[in-house]
Amino acid sequence: MKEFNTTGLCVPTKHYMVDISKRLELMKTMVEEGKYFTVNRGRQYGKTTTLKMLARYLKDDYVVLSLDFQGISSEGFKSESTFVQELSKMFVEAAELRGMPIPQEYLDMFSQFAYNKNGDMRLSDIFTTFLKWCNRSDKPIVLIIDEVDSASNNGVFLDFLALLRYHYLERAASDDYKTFQSVILAGVTDIKNLKRKLRPDEVGKVNSPWNIAVDFTLDMSLSAEGIAGMLKDYENDHNTGMDVEAVAKEIRAYTGGYPFLVCRICQLLDKELAGSERFPALSDAWTQDGISEAVRIIVSESNTLFDSLMGKIINNPEMSDALEDMLFSGKNIAYNRYNLAINDALMYGFIDVSGNTITIANRIFEMLLYNYYLSENEMKKHSMYRAASNERELFIKDGHLDMDKVLERFVVSFDDLYGDDYETFDEDEGRRRFLLYIRPIINGTGNYYVEAQTRNNRRMDVVIDYLGERFVVELKIWRGNAYNERGQEQLSDYLDYYHIQKGYMLSYNFNKNKEVGVKTISVGDKTLIEAVV
């Protein structure tokens, strides 16, 4: 029986997988056109699995040399000679252990380089071997190198890239010049940016050694249709009776199609939640409620992906500031490829670019970031957090969240704590205060996230999932009755999207003659609970 995999390489015969044949076909077209390109995506985004499947997809028409630079230690990059030795060893071992199709003549050459004890090898030596092989091979040769991040800080690797570029340009100048048909480099870091890592005194290496690479724009996220195809395969094995299309759509909505997150949700539903007290059968787990619980577990757990992401935030304060600003200010930030902080956030997978506007990549990353920026230290010190913590028992009745009571008590607590103090209050802080208030109420049991399409500097819809129930709360600044009525209509339409009849509005009103309190209004067939502070 196959299973969902979140560690290492995915194998079609062992693991449930999304069909990526269309992606492979498009990548093969790039190879046929002789393109050199990089595949840079966030950690655990399916890069290695895609490259392994691409190598198999190409093998009938090409000689595919597939390497992983994780196999070269830092010592291997210390000098040109040691790098040639280590690279040659990789070819020898690939031929002996994995059956890489290297003719004996060139395998002997690689062996000589690999075990040469004189320490006088040059990159030009191994490239001479490459060129001879490319000229005499019956099939064009494709070079694929995974985990190039392992080499990104090393000058000898830049020299290696520069030689690849040199021979690429020679091929472009002459139809008779034979070199690699295509070179594909994969990693998290876009090596076009390697010039930023060089020391100031290395004047000759300021320009990127990989500026020949074309942009790799293929979408590697998993679509709802692709996820549904994978779930149908699972359903054929397990007969859960799930609504495959609805479950796939819900998983995609939480994950943005990030492969690790998609598989982790499915893994939890299959192996951990099904059979539990709350989800006794598979049919109980493969539901909206089950997905929400799986997401709660993921956001609270420690895994290699989150550890890597948070490490990037801690070590990159400019990027961290930009992400925090996106979350709380509601500003629509235009993408600027020369903004290094935004470019880094895109490279590491925190954000996506839709049109020319930046959005957080998925709901799960958003929850992770909110939890980070609303730190435990800040929460415990913040008066709104303490107010909700002290009254938590008022809001949970028989396992259900009483959102009416949450808004009612928020208004009271807010008015008690801040009253007419407008001087230190802005829109960002208003959102932060509500999230700080809701956090201890649902903490450990529910989730909250912000719908990307509603995040702007005037309104923001917070969606709260609590034990199978969903609540939509619109946060906004009061800008007059006409604007408020439009907001009511927008919220009503949004409730239709979620198929729920009741919604909530929280307005921050800066007018001194405002009417503080909570009231119930009807908009069409919807009931809205509106709170004003």
Side-chain angles (χ1 to χ4, degrees):
M1 191 71 72
K2 292 193 289 188
E3 61 184 5
F4 295 102
N5 181 43
T6 56
T7 56
L9 184 69
C10 290
V11 180
T13 56
K14 296 180 179 180
H15 305 127
Y16 293 110
M17 294 176 59
V18 170
D19 181 7
I20 62 169
S21 56
K22 290 183 179 178
R23 184 191 307 168
L24 298 178
E25 183 179 344
L26 292 171
M27 293 176 76
K28 184 178 181 181
T29 298
M30 297 177 71
V31 170
E32 290 170 344
E33 294 172 349
K35 305 296 187 185
Y36 286 26
F37 57 95
T38 61
V39 180
N40 64 284
R41 295 292 187 274
R43 289 289 176 204
Q44 296 180 278
Y45 211 98
K47 299 183 296 296
T48 298
T49 296
T50 297
L51 292 181
K52 294 295 184 185
M53 295 184 71
L54 178 64
R56 289 195 290 270
Y57 194 73
L58 296 174
K59 69 178 183 179
D60 291 340
D61 300 311
Y62 299 92
V63 175
V64 182
L65 310 179
S66 182
L67 305 176
D68 187 332
F69 268 10
Q70 283 188 124
I72 300 180
S73 68
S74 57
E75 290 291 319
F77 292 101
K78 275 199 167 181
S79 70
E80 191 170 341
S81 183
T82 57
F83 177 69
V84 171
Q85 275 190 307
E86 293 301 314
L87 185 60
S88 299
K89 284 180 184 178
M90 295 190 80
F91 282 111
V92 172
E93 291 171 358
E96 293 177 349
L97 303 178
R98 294 191 281 113
M100 183 180 287
I102 303 177
Q104 191 63 45
E105 175 186 359
Y106 309 113
L107 186 57
D108 290 342
M109 292 181 183
F110 289 132
S111 295
Q112 290 176 18
F113 297 144
Y115 303 106
N116 185 311
K117 296 182 180 180
N118 295 326
D120 57 356
M121 286 83 68
R122 298 289 179 264
L123 281 169
S124 57
D125 297 329
I126 199 168
F127 269 88
T128 298
T129 304
F130 291 153
L131 293 175
K132 288 180 180 179
W133 188 4
C134 290
N135 272 276
R136 298 172 188 174
S137 178
D138 294 334
K139 296 179 180 179
I141 301 177
V142 177
L143 177 63
I144 301 175
I145 304 177
D146 197 7
E147 298 292 347
V148 291
D149 301 73
S150 304
S152 59
N153 283 316
N154 297 283
V156 67
F157 175 62
L158 301 185
D159 294 336
F160 175 73
L161 293 181
L163 279 171
L164 285 172
R165 179 181 64 181
Y166 169 77
H167 292 294
Y168 171 88
L169 294 174
E170 288 294 304
R171 185 191 73 176
S174 172
D175 292 337
D176 296 327
Y177 196 88
K178 301 294 184 182
T179 185
F180 294 117
Q181 169 71 15
S182 178
V183 176
I184 306 167
L185 307 179
V188 174
T189 303
D190 184 352
I191 60 173
K192 291 180 183 179
N193 298 326
L194 285 182
K195 59 186 178 182
R196 290 166 49 199
K197 298 179 179 289
L198 300 178
R199 296 192 303 271
D201 59 311
E202 293 180 306
V203 178
K205 296 179 182 178
V206 168
N207 291 325
S208 169
W210 201 239
N211 55 15
I212 58 169
V214 299
D215 290 334
F216 181 76
T217 58
L218 296 183
D219 186 0
M220 291 182 65
S221 67
L222 306 181
S223 66
E225 294 76 15
I227 296 170
M230 175 177 66
L231 295 183
K232 287 175 183 176
D233 190 14
Y234 176 87
E235 184 67 5
N236 288 337
D237 290 338
H238 295 275
N239 300 308
T240 70
M242 77 169 89
D243 184 335
V244 168
E245 305 298 334
V247 169
K249 184 178 179 181
E250 188 78 356
I251 292 175
R252 166 71 190 188
Y254 271 108
T255 64
Y258 201 109
F260 170 82
L261 299 177
V262 170
C263 289
R264 183 60 179 142
I265 287 177
C266 294
Q267 192 177 59
L268 287 169
L269 296 176
D270 177 44
K271 296 296 185 183
E272 296 191 27
L273 293 184
S276 66
E277 181 178 354
R278 185 173 163 195
F279 305 98
L282 280 171
S283 57
D284 301 307
W286 288 92
T287 59
Q288 175 187 305
D289 189 14
I291 294 169
S292 175
E293 176 62 13
V295 168
R296 186 195 64 78
I297 294 172
I298 291 171
V299 173
S300 63
E301 72 183 3
S302 174
N303 56 55
T304 54
L305 173 61
F306 291 174
D307 290 346
S308 174
L309 290 175
M310 300 318 296
K312 298 293 188 300
I313 284 181
I314 293 168
N315 294 321
N316 192 330
E318 292 82 8
M319 182 182 73
S320 179
D321 289 344
L323 290 170
E324 185 172 12
D325 195 37
M326 284 181 63
L327 288 172
F328 290 103
S329 73
K331 294 176 183 175
N332 289 324
I333 301 176
Y335 174 62
N336 179 352
R337 67 183 304 167
Y338 299 107
N339 183 318
L340 296 183
I342 295 300
N343 229 27
D344 284 346
L346 180 63
M347 181 170 65
Y348 296 132
F350 286 107
I351 62 174
D352 283 331
V353 178
S354 178
N356 195 42
T357 302
I358 298 164
T359 59
I360 300 297
N362 57 69
R363 292 177 185 171
I364 292 178
F365 283 2
E366 182 175 278
M367 294 177 198
L368 186 71
L369 291 170
Y370 273 124
N371 289 347
Y372 174 73
Y373 292 119
L374 298 175
S375 67
E376 291 295 328
N377 188 48
E378 177 188 5
M379 288 189 294
K380 290 175 181 177
K381 290 181 179 179
H382 204 287
S383 50
M384 292 302 292
Y385 181 90
R386 294 199 303 271
S389 298
N390 293 335
E391 297 185 331
R392 188 177 186 276
E393 68 279 0
L394 297 177
F395 308 123
I396 310 300
K397 297 180 179 178
D398 299 323
H400 296 277
L401 176 63
D402 187 345
M403 184 56 67
D404 294 39
K405 180 66 71 173
V406 170
L407 256 64
E408 176 187 319
R409 292 304 303 168
F410 178 83
V411 170
V412 172
S413 296
F414 192 94
D415 194 54
D416 287 345
L417 291 168
Y418 305 111
D420 294 328
D421 179 16
Y422 307 128
E423 298 300 322
T424 60
F425 178 78
D426 58 21
E427 297 177 19
D428 298 6
E429 184 62 20
R431 290 162 175 164
R432 189 182 293 266
R433 291 179 191 188
F434 179 74
L435 294 177
L436 281 166
Y437 190 81
I438 199 70
R439 179 75 180 276
I441 297 172
I442 66 170
N443 194 31
T445 307
N447 306 312
Y448 65 87
Y449 56 88
V450 175
E451 277 298 345
Q453 62 264 44
T454 71
R455 184 193 286 110
N456 56 54
N457 60 1
R458 294 197 170 189
R459 63 185 288 252
M460 185 168 84
D461 286 348
V462 177
V463 182
I464 299 167
D465 288 332
Y466 192 89
L467 294 179
E469 294 182 283
R470 180 165 282 170
F471 308 89
V472 180
V473 185
E474 180 183 296
L475 309 182
K476 63 186 181 64
I477 302 300
W478 179 273
R479 301 181 190 275
N481 287 323
Y483 176 77
N484 193 57
E485 289 173 1
R486 289 197 301 271
Q488 294 169 358
E489 294 290 341
Q490 289 173 328
L491 178 57
S492 177
D493 292 341
Y494 206 64
L495 295 176
D496 281 334
Y497 171 80
Y498 275 114
H499 307 294
I500 51 182
Q501 295 299 113
K502 190 175 185 179
Y504 300 84
M505 299 180 71
L506 174 59
S507 298
Y508 293 100
N509 191 332
F510 297 106
N511 299 327
K512 290 189 175 181
N513 59 349
K514 64 186 177 184
E515 294 183 12
V516 173
V518 179
K519 63 181 178 180
T520 302
I521 61 175
S522 297
V523 178
D525 62 341
K526 302 294 188 297
T527 299
L528 303 185
I529 306 299
E530 183 171 4
V532 176
V533 294

